[in-house]
């Protein structure tokens, strides 16, 4: 939060509409998804999103302990977002911080909407996500990866969860900001996730100074980008059933 | 004893009323409860306030402390917001280290203030790289009757507006002496909405919070900027519900701001 | 405990028998009590004692969790004394310290004597007190406030608990010391609480260098002062049933 | 196995005896059990002692450590008393961070010593504002047979009397070298009493502690000053019971002090 | 769902096979599963690797951090090994502070590396007494299929071999700039054995670990030194079993080292 | 672990085969053992081994709480190794560190082998050891002391556990190293414990650079030394039943 801001004069989008990393304002970084990378888990997924690398595993529905935390009406979803100590420029304290806890909370709530929890009373569905490398947008990368892992576990969902972080840098609304853009002096960050078929918003956060008009532009761009993410998630799930999962000679990444 | 009230029963009543276009306490869907603000309620705090929204009761105190700046901002002070949901305030609150509820609350209040850029942290540098001011804003819930978010955010801003900057001598704070109030260039306020059945209402009471499927908070400034969003709860919002909530927030805060 | 001591020569009581804040050696600081300030609680009280400001809430008798901590013979009283971070000159660490824990323990024990706990087996009576502003004598202010809150909760008691801190400063025995007096080089602090009707001592602590003779003088003064405190507690309780509780336009304080 | 003893049965026996003016172990009401003191039981400690009162067994070690003085006492050292009720000592003690029992014990021992002003903390200043000595007095219960308070306080004073001041070179401690013992101007001792039925007895044994309704401790010096009080337990004391306990404490400690 | 597998049944099968001189996965008693090594899997790490032994999957990242040297080694840097048995990796792993299993694992990996003297900590001194390099080696289990010890140790050594030393300017790290790799004079590797029935097998799989009575690990270097032993588990080893395990470790590591 | 190493040239064993403290390479420091020193415990022992001083107490078999940690097949052995803050040259942090936890774990496992745990299903056997003074070899001193305490508690064992730390200093294999020898630049430390009658190894650790040949020499010396330790343990246990335990006029030490 107290991150160093870049010089005011940096031009984040040039006259040709290109960003410093060559992307257009609407363009998402390359995404690679591999399903079923943790044999011991009920469902799992490895995802790369630009430099971000995350792994997710799902256990459940299983017994909900301690018992007083269970619900007789539905499964409890417990989502845990964590970052490896080496996944950030400065070494992260291994103890979960307040940011980790907040992200885990709002992400749990997104999955409570997506999963048909009412079908599994008195159980817990545990979703664990670990960030192995990072460059802005990890909470959305984690959520997107976790949604595929939940599907891989065969847990019935209303829809996958798909998301993107839109934002502002140098006065321009751009999609899927990278770390350099996130450090713009006027940066605004808007992580957002929806159930793509109904366009219900299940996660929405924002920080920065944003006008209502800018919000409407950002929201529009986000919905477009999310459609692309959704297609990649579906393709990865299909691929699992088309070809045998290969051992990770290539580092566990589908090219 | 309030803890024995049947919440299921009350939830049904809230839902039924909302479906009929009413609220149990007869407010309009976009209407706040009565707000009461008392300033400077603790002499040992550098700034403090007590805010009630209806029966929801929150107290905030600010302490200006000298500390070491962050390595990536060696020439700037900082802000630290903490929340304690005191077991005084509700039969369901427990003593202990901050849980995810109070952490979320603290972080949403923090973002609403910090991202509005109302505080010029550079002014809080004392000696680059070694010493700066940190404002510790500590929020205590005294009675929970719904919408602690907005009460906490409002009490925080009022407390900061009252906060005096301690005098320094040899880089040490002189107890009880001050050199004027700290400066705030904006007054961001938080507005929280509950989605109940298919409606969205402002400033949810406790029975409404129990009946809500989702929560949306937006922090706005007097110059109509949005500075923080937070969606919470197990349900979802449509895009147009969000847009409409933002409009109501911009309208309501103009009224609330008159009371500060 | 390691507080800075004032110059040896300070005269804490002048020839006219007046203290530096104008009080006589026997005089208690102004006390204001308001009953029933926390609607969600079973009983509550707000109290100002000089600069000290405390709020107390009572929940119970209620289920005692975890269950192995309950007693089949009586209610368990759990008293929690805490200080807000901003209630002291230096910011207090929000984590309860050893002082908080000791005060909570001896105060719990005082209430175990005052309350007819044997009437509520297998339950817990939770008393929470938060100090919002302070200037010496907070543990007694907290206990006095809590006793009113317990009465407001309708929990049957042998008697209210009433207390005062007596002590020594500049060689003189004085009642209800303020912070400046507490920092005298020869300061002695004696927090004391009794059941006023039977004069049973239910809380007694002391630190400092005190002769037996001085103790007897201090004890006598304490018993006198406690009678005044007791009257104010009873008046506040009566007032609740005489007039409707007003919203805290005046900061929750009865003038 | 001692944990299977029926305490209810023993409590009845204690109460019956007390009502008949007797104690189960035949002591007078104001009489201590046999006290045994062994000094210097750990070479790595700067001072240490093991004290038994009856079968109650406590070990204390002192370490003199250089540290930063408190901001409000820049020219003084300080004292830090810790207690561990080792699970060795009783089937009811559990390992883990200090609980309220051990915190109370530590703080009462600390106050008894500190408030007697037996230690001149100014002598422990090394460099004003930056370096001073802190005496860490760590108390370990080895066997709990009642009255750990007095055993802990006695072992602490004996350990401090044996404590050697480490040598300093370039503000760093030279391991194993000393420049004489630290100075104590007084020897405060703690005396603890149990109220059982309507009587008050000195130095309660474990069965007596189980039968007591309340506990009172007073620390006294050889020049007849009182330096700490602590009432504990669920019951109460009358003013005259307190006064009488103080008199017995002043008398008993004259005897105990001869053994130091 | 893997957590529902009957381990008792699998354990019986393992024991029966071992008694017949076989392993369930048809390996020889001294044979490792297939090892797969991927280097540099995290750009933000200064060195990193992912190692699979069979389906056991471990990731390690190294961060070089400037810190204060230990008082007893003012002219040397140091090593800090941490392990998180992520709940990702097994239905029986729980989130939370390190438990005794992960602490033992971290300390055995640490000893194997440190005691081989492969790292010259003196080279990591920046300014005597005030500043030095600490290598934080953090190990994360991603899938647990037995023998996390060897996978963790191998991934740690590979990560250290890849670790680049950050550039310093004014004693502060320049993000993303490096001055070459750190030096390792040896490559210690850990070899773990399970005692099952009366046999000892190398590189136990998870079903074999469930069936084992005891575990023995030995770290060895390319110049045939032993640098760490660790016996774990409820059973025991004979002296000749230990001796034979050491010989197998010296042999197996020559093969494994070719893959680094 | 980061301990300061002595000058390379120190001669740890002289031409006469004597070490700096006068011992031969095979000689164990003096050991004193007293059984039954903690009246409240089910079994206990105080042991001095050179400068090392440790006390051990055993409680159990007793109820195993929390219940889900119990086994229906056997008693659970819980061994806790702790060091008093003043037992080491620098003050130890009172919180158990990673070293304490590791030593407790491997020691627990050694006792699981020694005790007939299968005779006490659903119970816990708690072994607590506190180090009061130290000079190298405390984990073995603690284990040796605890074994006697377990026997004193009347808990049936396959055999006592006896141990020693062997090692290397200045190129020589020596038995029962002291702190000075442990700080040799080429020091190797090998704590080892066996059931003496069957010579089963139940605890074995090592750190340092050691050749296979040196290991064989060290192992041989260790087995010899352990026999002596075993005799002293047996003598101490016999002594308890021959003479009444004396109160610790002599500091609780059998001369």
């Amino acid at each position: 939060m107290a991150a160093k801001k870049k010089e005011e004069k940096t031009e984040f989008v040039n006259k040709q509409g290109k960003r410093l990393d060559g992307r257009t304002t609407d363009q998402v970084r390359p995404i690679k998804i591999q399903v079923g990378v943790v044999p011991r888990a009920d469902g799992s997924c490895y995802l790369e999103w630009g430099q971000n690398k995350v792994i997710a595993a799902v256990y459940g529905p299983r017994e909900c302990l301690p018992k007083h935390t269970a619900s007789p009406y539905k499964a409890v979803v417990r989502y845990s977002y964590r970052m490896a100590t080496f996944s950030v420029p400065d070494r992260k304290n291994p103890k979960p911080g307040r940011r980790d806890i907040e992200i885990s909370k709002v992400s749990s709530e997104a999955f409570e909407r997506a999963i048909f929890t009412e079908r599994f009373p008195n159980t817990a569905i545990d979703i664990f996500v670990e960030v192995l490398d990072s460059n802005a947008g990890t909470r959305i990368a984690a959520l997107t990866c976790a949604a595929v892992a939940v599907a891989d576990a065969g847990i019935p969902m209303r829809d996958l969860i798909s998301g993107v972080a839109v934002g502002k840098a140098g006065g321009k609304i751009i999609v899927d900001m990278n770390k350099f853009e996130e450090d713009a002096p006027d940066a605004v960050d808007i992580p957002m996730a929806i159930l793509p078929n109904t366009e219900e918003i299940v996660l929405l956060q924002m920080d920065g100074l944003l006008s209502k008009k800018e919000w409407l532009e950002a929201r529009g761009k986000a919905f477009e980008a999310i459609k692309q993410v959704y297609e990649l998630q579906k393709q990865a799930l299909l691929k699992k059933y088309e070809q045998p999962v290969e051992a990770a000679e290539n580092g566990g990444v589908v090219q | 004893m309030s803890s024995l009230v049947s919440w299921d029963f009350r939830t049904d009543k809230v839902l039924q009323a909302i479906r009929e276009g009413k609220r149990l306490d007869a407010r309009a869907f976009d209407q706040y409860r009565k707000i009461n603000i008392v300033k400077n309620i603790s002499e040992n705090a550098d700034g403090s306030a007590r805010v009630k929204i209806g029966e929801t009761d929150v107290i905030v105190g600010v302490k200006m402390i000298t500390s070491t700046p962050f390595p990536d901002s060696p020439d700037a002070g900082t802000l630290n917001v903490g929340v304690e949901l005191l077991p005084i305030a509700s039969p369901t609150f427990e003593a202990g280290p901050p849980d995810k509820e109070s952490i979320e609350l603290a972080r949403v209040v923090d973002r609403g203030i910090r991202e509005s850029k109302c505080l010029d942290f550079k002014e809080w540098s004392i000696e680059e790289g070694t010493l700066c001011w940190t404002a510790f804003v500590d929020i205590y819930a005294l009675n929970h009757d719904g919408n602690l978010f907005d009460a906490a955010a409002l009490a925080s801003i009022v407390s900061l507006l009252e906060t005096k900057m301690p005098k320094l001598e040899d880089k040490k704070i002189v107890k009880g002496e001050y050199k004027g109030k700290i400066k705030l260039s904006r007054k961001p306020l938080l507005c929280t909405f509950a989605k109940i059945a298919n409606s969205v209402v402002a400033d949810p009471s406790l029975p409404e919070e129990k009946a809500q499927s989702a929560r949306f908070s937006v922090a706005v400034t007097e110059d109509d900027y949005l500075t923080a969003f937070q969606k919470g709860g197990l349900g979802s919002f449509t895009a147009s519900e969000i847009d409409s909530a933002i409009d109501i927030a911009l309208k309501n805060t103009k009224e609330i701001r008159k009371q500060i």
Side-chain angles (χ1 to χ4, degrees), chain A, chain B:
Chain A
M1 267 182 290
K4 200 176 357 185
K5 303 295 182 179
K6 296 289 170 287
E7 296 288 314
E8 289 282 347
K9 22 196 158 178
T10 307
E11 196 193 43
F12 286 88
V13 180
N14 69 13
K15 280 156 197 162
Q16 288 72 43
K18 293 280 182 185
R19 291 147 74 176
L20 290 161
D21 61 3
R23 285 186 287 154
T24 66
T25 54
D26 296 332
Q27 198 177 341
V28 172
R29 290 171 287 179
I31 295 174
K32 299 168 185 173
I33 305 177
Q34 186 183 11
V35 186
V37 296
V38 181
R40 289 217 71 190
D42 297 323
S44 60
C45 182
Y46 174 83
L47 177 144
E48 294 188 4
W49 184 319
Q51 187 188 332
N52 295 314
K53 296 178 191 68
V54 300
I55 188 163
V58 175
Y59 288 90
R62 61 181 178 181
E63 195 182 2
C64 186
L65 297 172
K67 284 192 176 169
H68 71 266
T69 62
S71 161
Y73 303 118
K74 62 178 197 67
V76 173
V77 179
R78 301 184 294 202
Y79 181 103
S80 160
Y81 166 97
R82 295 287 182 271
M83 301 190 90
T85 54
F86 50 80
S87 68
V88 283
D90 289 313
R91 179 174 185 261
K92 193 192 171 295
N93 187 323
K95 229 183 99 185
R98 307 206 315 169
R99 178 179 171 275
D100 302 313
I101 291 167
E102 186 197 0
I103 291 175
S104 298
K105 180 178 186 293
V106 294
S107 303
S108 289
E109 291 167 343
F111 274 103
E112 290 266 4
R113 177 66 189 157
I115 295 171
F116 287 105
T117 57
E118 59 277 19
R119 298 195 191 162
F120 307 99
N122 293 310
T123 68
I125 294 170
D126 287 309
I127 306 169
F128 304 107
V129 195
E130 190 81 20
V131 177
L132 305 177
D133 203 0
S134 73
N135 183 313
T138 56
R139 82 188 68 185
I140 291 298
L143 200 63
T144 302
C145 181
V148 176
V150 172
D152 182 43
I155 294 171
M157 287 194 281
R158 287 187 173 74
D159 199 353
L160 287 177
I161 296 177
S162 307
V164 78
V166 285
K168 188 170 84 169
K172 297 289 195 319
I173 300 298
I174 52 181
V175 156
D176 187 25
M177 294 202 294
N178 64 28
K179 182 95 190 99
F180 186 82
E181 293 164 342
E182 237 185 40
D183 289 344
D186 70 337
V188 176
D189 182 30
I190 316 173
M192 191 167 159
I194 66 174
L195 306 191
N197 283 305
T198 54
E199 295 195 341
E200 293 171 69
I201 297 169
V202 291
L203 182 141
L204 177 60
Q205 300 183 291
M206 188 268 282
D207 56 82
L209 269 176
L210 192 74
S211 72
K212 172 86 190 285
K213 185 161 160 291
E214 288 169 329
W215 154 244
L216 294 176
E217 183 186 348
R219 173 160 70 68
K221 282 188 193 287
F223 274 76
E224 286 309 306
I226 287 173
K227 282 180 200 163
Q228 304 166 35
V229 175
Y230 185 46
E231 287 308 311
L232 294 169
Q233 290 173 295
K234 286 192 294 185
Q235 281 170 28
L237 282 162
L238 279 173
K239 191 172 242 163
K240 185 182 175 183
Y241 301 97
E242 286 169 2
Q243 59 165 56
V245 178
E246 287 187 42
E249 267 81 357
N250 52 0
V253 174
V254 172
Q255 305 298 330
Chain B
M1 299 184 189
S2 55
S3 52
L4 303 179
V5 169
S6 162
W7 283 110
D8 282 352
F9 177 71
R10 282 229 241 172
T11 295
D12 282 350
K13 302 252 287 182
V14 169
L15 286 169
Q16 193 187 328
I18 293 285
R19 287 198 191 97
E20 295 168 3
K22 294 184 292 193
R23 298 173 80 169
L24 281 192
D25 54 12
R27 280 185 287 158
F29 278 14
D30 63 356
Q31 191 184 344
Y32 266 73
R33 291 166 292 176
K34 197 183 161 205
I35 294 175
N36 184 283
I37 299 172
V38 184
K39 295 172 185 174
N40 297 320
I41 46 75
S42 177
E43 288 180 43
N44 275 314
D46 297 324
S48 62
R50 185 172 177 175
V51 165
K52 291 187 186 180
I53 303 184
E55 286 197 342
T56 287
D57 193 352
V58 165
I59 199 163
V60 169
V62 178
K63 281 280 196 186
M64 300 300 299
I65 305 290
T66 55
S67 56
T68 311
F70 286 114
D72 57 0
S73 306
D75 60 343
T78 188
L79 174 72
N80 188 304
V81 178
V83 169
E84 273 199 53
L85 301 176
L86 294 180
I88 285 176
S90 163
T92 64
F93 292 168
E94 284 175 30
D99 62 1
K100 60 186 178 181
E101 313 293 335
S102 57
I103 287 170
E104 184 189 23
L105 177 38
R107 284 178 58 86
V108 172
V109 170
D110 180 302
R111 282 204 293 272
I113 297 169
R114 181 190 305 272
E115 298 296 335
S116 78
K117 299 185 171 55
C118 65
L119 296 166
D120 184 353
F121 291 130
K122 301 265 172 180
E123 284 198 359
W124 291 1
S125 182
I126 300 169
E127 194 177 89
E128 185 165 336
T130 55
L131 207 65
C132 69
W133 289 106
T134 296
F136 281 89
V137 176
D138 285 306
I139 300 166
Y140 292 86
L142 295 185
N143 192 63
H144 177 25
D145 193 35
N147 200 9
L148 285 169
F149 275 71
D150 294 0
L154 178 53
S156 298
I157 275 295
V158 174
S159 296
L160 283 167
L161 286 166
E162 294 301 318
T163 296
K164 296 160 290 178
M165 181 61 92
K167 259 201 182 155
L168 274 190
E169 246 177 55
D170 292 340
K171 297 182 196 164
K172 280 181 188 165
I173 291 174
V174 185
K175 293 268 165 67
E177 295 190 27
Y178 294 96
K179 45 174 201 188
K181 288 189 179 176
I182 63 170
K183 283 177 215 154
L184 273 85
S185 63
R186 284 194 176 93
K187 296 182 198 70
L189 292 182
L190 195 68
C191 288
T192 295
F193 298 85
K195 178 151 173 186
I196 305 172
N198 285 314
S199 299
V200 176
V201 302
D203 178 31
S205 67
L206 186 60
E208 288 172 342
E209 283 189 357
K210 300 269 181 185
Q212 80 190 3
S213 66
R215 188 194 68 228
F216 177 66
S217 300
V218 51
V220 302
T221 65
E222 54 267 65
D223 46 356
D224 286 352
Y225 277 109
L226 320 174
T227 71
F229 290 166
Q230 183 85 343
K231 180 260 163 184
L234 312 185
S236 61
F237 285 91
T238 65
S240 65
E241 284 168 346
I242 297 292
D243 296 347
S244 145
I246 292 170
D247 291 336
I248 295 169
L250 290 167
K251 187 195 68 174
N252 277 344
T253 48
K254 296 204 195 306
E255 282 310 302
I256 297 168
R257 212 166 262 116
K258 290 176 188 161
Q259 274 194 262
I260 297 179

